[in-house]
Amino acid sequence: MDQSLIIDIIRRLQWPGDDAHVKWPYENSRRPTAYWLYKAICSDRNAQPMEKVSYKPLSKNSVFQHYQKVIGSMIPRFIIDPSLFNCSITSVLFMDDLYLSEVGVQKILKIDGIELVQRGLGLGPLGLHPTISVNILHKTNEQLENAVRNIVSVSPSISEFYRLKNYLFKPRNVDSTDTSNEGGFKIRSGTRRVLTGLVKYPLLPLNDLSIRVGIKRDIVYREYESISSSGFFKIEYSVSNPIIGNISLFQSGFLVDENHKSDLMKHLKTLPMFRERLLSTRWSFGNVIYTLNWSKDYVDFLNYQTSVMKHLDPENVMLSVWQPRTYFNKRPIIEMINSQES
């Protein structure tokens, strides 16, 4: 496997990308298919000075093969800002003294409102310990607290240690005169059906999606353009198998005031090791920046952690999770979309 090609593909998977606040929705709103990635990578590589970078010749077949390898290890998730439906998503971090079993994970996924469970080996201020991250979809604080209690009851080794709000989007290109809901994005019946289809099949071509949801193609295309340009939706990729080719994936979270996220990211990008290992950035958490990164092995991961922490202020607490594995539950999101349908 070509390591540089795997890294290039993962870096371009998010939809919209990290530079969305500059380009989106003016750039092409197509989702990152294998062909789209081939064209984008070729364009970027051709734009780089030949004397500085030397790449192997790139073929469509090679990109398609590496794309399938990456997609086999990562879960595409169509993310919706829950405030559109008067809901919230809270990410709750738990410490585990043992290591949650597969049976335990499945028990948590059956709890009302659980959208995602991720587990891995966490390294941070509390030392090295198994870490569990759970996304909880809820309308009320009571629903959130009930879910947390039920999670803790799954195993006596689980204890909560941090919470953060998730999916804080900054909508763009929204009609301020539209008062159909808080954000100004109109939820029509057709919109709900297209959204449900995208949650179930995030990468499905729109012609095929039209057949799946039973709506005419021109209507699906119109709804998709509205959805993709609104800023309330995105596709993110969670790790199901953290070993891809000859690299291992890990995630890092940096505690930072919401107003200083860009400043911290600029600072981090001055660090050569951080720039080299960065695959993607997730801004949609309150007071936290999450990054997806790669390393050669566990020792390399520890060296990265030590190197980056030397350049952080004490208030920018860093927690990294080695080889995270994600379990995704689409049911709560689909139920949210179809709730109170008129």
Side-chain angles (χ1 to χ4, degrees):
M1 299 298 289
D2 183 341
Q3 176 177 308
S4 65
L5 183 52
I6 287 175
I7 291 171
D8 276 342
I9 289 172
I10 297 175
R11 282 177 171 161
R12 289 169 175 81
L13 283 179
Q14 285 192 101
W15 176 92
D18 289 344
D19 58 356
H21 62 287
V22 177
K23 295 182 180 179
W24 198 264
Y26 307 107
E27 65 180 8
N28 192 317
S29 61
R30 289 181 60 185
R31 290 158 293 165
T33 61
Y35 182 72
W36 183 92
L37 288 163
Y38 167 73
K39 298 293 286 186
I41 294 171
C42 282
S43 176
D44 289 349
R45 289 189 176 186
N46 290 337
Q48 297 186 46
M50 293 299 294
E51 65 273 13
K52 290 187 178 181
V53 181
S54 177
Y55 290 110
K56 297 176 182 178
L58 192 62
S59 68
K60 288 183 185 178
N61 187 54
S62 178
V63 173
F64 282 34
Q65 287 181 347
H66 284 73
Y67 173 81
Q68 291 301 324
K69 181 72 174 178
V70 170
I71 292 299
S73 295
M74 304 187 77
I75 304 171
R77 298 165 53 224
F78 188 81
I79 305 298
I80 299 173
D81 188 326
S83 66
L84 287 172
F85 300 91
N86 298 314
C87 293
S88 298
I89 287 186
T90 300
S91 290
V92 184
L93 301 181
F94 299 88
M95 187 185 301
D96 185 9
D97 291 335
L98 302 174
Y99 197 78
L100 190 67
S101 67
E102 186 70 24
V103 172
V105 171
Q106 295 306 317
K107 285 182 179 179
I108 291 177
L109 285 170
K110 291 178 181 178
I111 296 171
D112 287 345
I114 304 303
E115 185 254 356
L116 175 148
V117 178
Q118 186 180 83
R119 58 177 181 168
L121 192 61
L123 177 59
L126 299 176
L128 188 66
H129 55 82
T131 300
I132 305 163
S133 177
V134 183
N135 282 358
I136 303 172
L137 178 67
H138 57 96
K139 280 194 173 183
T140 67
N141 191 60
E142 182 181 6
Q143 290 174 335
L144 171 62
E145 296 302 332
N146 284 339
V148 171
R149 281 195 295 270
N150 288 333
I151 292 168
V152 173
S153 70
V154 167
S155 170
S157 65
I158 297 176
S159 60
E160 178 189 351
F161 69 92
Y162 199 75
R163 296 186 188 188
L164 59 152
K165 284 290 184 181
N166 203 339
Y167 309 152
L168 306 177
F169 295 130
K170 296 180 179 178
R172 294 164 295 281
N173 197 32
V174 176
D175 182 0
S176 60
T177 63
D178 185 355
T179 57
S180 57
N181 52 54
E182 286 185 19
F185 182 84
K186 191 171 183 179
I187 307 294
R188 298 177 286 262
S189 175
T191 308
R192 291 180 189 268
R193 291 167 70 180
V194 173
L195 286 175
T196 300
L198 287 169
V199 170
K200 291 180 178 179
Y201 318 104
L203 303 180
L204 194 68
L206 294 183
N207 287 348
D208 296 333
L209 186 65
S210 170
I211 296 172
R212 292 275 188 176
V213 300
I215 300 179
K216 293 180 179 179
R217 281 184 294 177
D218 60 331
I219 298 176
V220 169
Y221 274 81
R222 184 189 70 199
E223 293 289 356
Y224 173 79
E225 287 302 321
S226 176
I227 288 166
S228 64
S229 65
S230 70
F232 287 105
F233 311 92
K234 65 196 305 184
I235 294 176
E236 289 184 349
Y237 289 76
S238 294
V239 181
S240 58
N241 178 10
I243 301 175
I244 305 178
N246 54 353
I247 66 173
S248 294
L249 304 182
F250 67 96
Q251 291 181 334
S252 295
F254 302 88
L255 191 62
V256 58
D257 182 86
E258 194 71 25
N259 297 323
H260 295 99
K261 283 185 173 181
S262 295
D263 294 335
L264 177 60
M265 184 52 59
K266 287 179 182 177
H267 171 61
L268 289 169
K269 286 185 175 180
T270 65
L271 310 178
M273 180 172 277
F274 180 87
R275 287 199 312 273
E276 178 191 5
R277 304 309 175 86
L278 179 65
L279 293 172
S280 64
T281 308
R282 295 179 178 175
W283 301 83
S284 51
F285 297 85
N287 296 326
V288 170
I289 292 176
Y290 266 114
T291 61
L292 179 65
N293 321 276
W294 68 271
S295 66
K296 300 171 186 175
D297 50 38
Y298 183 66
V299 173
D300 188 44
F301 158 71
L302 294 178
N303 290 337
Y304 168 92
Q305 186 82 357
T306 302
S307 174
V308 173
M309 287 183 65
K310 288 179 181 178
H311 298 275
L312 292 176
D313 292 331
E315 62 267 22
N316 298 136
V317 176
M318 178 183 182
L319 171 68
S320 293
V321 178
W322 167 251
Q323 294 194 348
R325 293 183 182 271
T326 306
Y327 304 78
F328 181 35
N329 181 16
K330 300 178 182 181
R331 179 173 47 82
I333 301 300
I334 293 173
E335 289 176 352
M336 177 187 74
I337 293 171
N338 295 317
S339 64
Q340 301 176 345
E341 186 170 2
S342 57

